[in-house]
Amino acid sequence: EAQLVESGGGLVQPGGSLRLSCAASGFTVSSNHMRWVRQAPGKGLEWVSVLFSGGSSYYADSVKGRFSISRDISKNTLFLQMNSLRAGDTAVYYCAREDRFGGNLRGFDYWGQGTLVTVSS
Amino acid sequence: QSVLTQPPSVSGAPGQRVTISCTGSSSNIGASYDVHWYQQLPGTAPKLLIYGNNNRPSGVPDRFSGSKSGTSASLAITGLQAEDEADYYCQSYDSSPSGAHVVFGGGTKLTVL
C-alpha cells in the first residue's frame, strides 16, 4: 500500500525558512509526478508546486522565487524548501502523487496527512 | 477567487440526491482538460473521489458519479448518507504560457440534514 508521510512543519517568524519533507513508501517518487498542495485555515485547496518525473518543476505565482521543490532518490523523499515566509503562507501543506495512465492524468491518488506551517511573530 | 467556481454549500436529507457544480472557462474545463473530484472529511487529507470526469477509483461507492459538459462539470451523490457530510473540491488544469497548471474549485460544504 502506497503511503506519504510529511514532516518539517512548525512555527516560523516572517522572513524565515522551513524545509518540508514527504517520505514515500510503496512507490518510487522519481517515477511519478509529485505535487505540493496547501490549505490555509478554513480555506480551500491551493496548488503550490510540482516536480515532474522527468525533473522539471513549476510553481504557483504566489510562491515563485521563494519556494523550491526537490527530491532525494536514495531516500525516496520529496522536499519543499520555503524561504522568505510570509503570514499568507500559513497553511497545512500536503504532498500528493499525481496518478497517470498512458498520457492521461488521473488526479491525486495518494496524499500525505499534512503538516502545519504557521508564519507569525 | 478560485479559477473554478463551486457553490459554497449544498444540503440534502438522507436518501436524497444532491449535485455539486463546478464552472470553469475555455482555458480550463472548456479546453478539454479532465476534471477530478475530491472529498475532504473534517480534519483529514483530501481523498480522490472521481477521476477523468466520470471514473471512480477502487473502493468509492457507485452512489458517487461525475459528468462534464462544455465548460462545466458536476458531481452527483445519490442515496445521501450521514457519512457523506464533507467538503468537496473539483480540480482541473488551466492553460498558461509555461504549460498547464493545476486549478481547484473553492470547495462545497455538503450538509446532510
Side-chain angles (χ1 to χ4, degrees), chain B residues 32-107:
Chain B
S32 298
Y33 290 116
D34 282 343
V35 177
H36 316 300
W37 290 90
Y38 302 88
Q39 177 193 60
Q40 187 176 33
L41 298 170
T44 69
K47 168 191 169 185
L48 182 63
L49 199 62
I50 297 288
Y51 68 90
N53 305 318
N54 55 14
N55 301 285
R56 287 185 307 277
S58 175
V60 173
D62 59 7
R63 301 186 297 105
F64 296 90
S65 63
S67 64
K68 173 189 160 184
S69 178
T71 58
S72 296
S74 288
L75 173 70
I77 309 173
T78 60
L80 207 55
Q81 299 180 4
E83 66 210 49
D84 299 333
E85 189 159 289
D87 293 324
Y88 292 83
Y89 295 90
C90 60
Q91 178 247 308
S92 187
Y93 304 85
D94 197 88
S95 302
S96 75
S98 59
H101 290 277
V102 164
V103 289
F104 286 100

Side-chain angles (χ1 to χ4, degrees), chain A residues 35 37 39 43-47 52 58-60 64 94 98-99 104-109 111-114, chain B residues 34 36 38 40 43-48 51-52 87 89 91 93 98-107:
Chain A
R35 296 191 184 258
V37 175
Q39 186 171 35
K43 302 297 184 181
L45 302 172
E46 179 189 15
W47 169 72
F52 289 123
Y58 295 92
Y59 302 88
K64 199 174 297 182
Y94 297 100
E98 186 161 29
D99 188 27
N104 296 318
L105 300 175
R106 307 202 302 181
F108 305 163
D109 60 345
W111 295 69
Q113 83 285 0
Chain B
D34 282 343
H36 316 300
Y38 302 88
Q40 187 176 33
T44 69
K47 168 191 169 185
L48 182 63
Y51 68 90
D87 293 324
Y89 295 90
Q91 178 247 308
Y93 304 85
S98 59
H101 290 277
V102 164
V103 289
F104 286 100

